[in-house]
Amino acid sequence: MKYSVYCILLIPIIFTFFAVMGCGFFFRAAVSASCAGILWLFPDKTIGRSVLWIIAALLVSIGGDWFMSHIGNIPVRFIYGICLFFVAHMGFLYFCLKNGHVDWQVLLTVLAGYLVFFFVMLFPAIAQTPLLIAVLMYLLISCFTLSAAVGSTLPGKTRWGFTLGIALLVFSDTIIALKVFAGHHELDFLILPTYFASHIMITFALMRKAAVSAHAYFQAM
């Protein structure tokens, strides 16, 4: 795969610009949808159908984003959004487990930090039990996904690119939690850029994996 092929990533990057500028939900959805489309167009035979879980996760994220950005006077939509993003994380996690394992050392470290964050900053601020459970479950699966990304068997640079994408997603979610439950708004401007950057980075990493696999295939011929 020649470097020029990566120019296709300009499509989600341009959509990201308009999404961050507040030009409407269409552009927000278009970022994730275009990333899913790119992965569909550039398959990697070595990871097979497991990439479909990434594509599904990206598409499900559109639904989660819609609920999060259209809460209005219907607070339950926040829970719906969390649930859909939980499903998206299941897709990311399943992909990582099909191509590696959970790094338990990373999991214990990240989990310890986020449980402290949950009980110190979030637990006192969440009065509704369903929301409290949803937030806790989402926190747990986020930690598992990040740890599984680190423990994946993807080639070096691809693995770290993919891990960076997951880390950006977790970072974006952390800022949302600080905004919604702790009343901290200093980093609000980073929520959308890091969220969309996570999808683009994940897409780039898997495109690179496809490129490495294709090169190895032609070298063996």
Side-chain angles (χ1 to χ4, degrees), residues 1 7 12 19 36 51-52 60 62 76 79 88 95 104 106 116 138 150 178 184 194 202:
M1 188 184 297
C7 290
V51 74
L52 295 177
V60 169
I62 297 175
V76 72
I79 297 180
F95 171 83
W104 292 101
V106 171
V116 171
Y138 186 76
V150 175
L178 287 171
H184 292 287
T194 52
I202 288 170

Side-chain angles (χ1 to χ4, degrees), residues 1-3 5-9 38-39 42-47 51 95 153-162 200-216:
M1 188 184 297
K2 296 181 179 180
Y3 289 113
V5 176
Y6 293 112
C7 290
I8 197 171
L9 289 172
I38 289 170
L39 292 179
F42 297 97
D44 179 3
K45 293 182 179 180
T46 62
I47 59 177
V51 74
F95 171 83
T153 55
L154 298 170
K157 292 182 180 179
T158 299
R159 176 165 65 98
W160 289 115
F162 185 88
I200 294 171
M201 181 56 66
I202 288 170
T203 303
F204 169 75
L206 295 183
M207 283 184 70
R208 189 180 187 281
K209 175 67 172 63
V212 171
S213 299
H215 178 75

Side-chain angles (χ1 to χ4, degrees), residues 23 34 37 47 53 59-61 63 96 112 114 118 126-128 136 152 158 166 179 184 193 204 208 213:
C23 295
S34 59
I47 59 177
W53 290 90
L59 296 178
V60 169
S61 296
C96 293
Y114 269 97
F118 175 79
I126 304 176
Q128 302 86 357
L136 177 59
S152 71
T158 299
I166 298 297
K179 172 186 175 181
H184 292 287
F204 169 75
R208 189 180 187 281
S213 299

Side-chain angles (χ1 to χ4, degrees), residues 10 15 18 26 31 38 90-91 97 111 113 139 160-161 166 175 195 198 206 210 213 219:
L10 287 173
F15 285 142
F18 287 108
F26 168 82
V31 178
I38 289 170
M90 289 181 63
L97 295 179
L111 193 57
L139 180 150
W160 289 115
I166 298 297
I175 300 175
Y195 170 67
S198 72
L206 295 183
S213 299
Q219 285 288 97

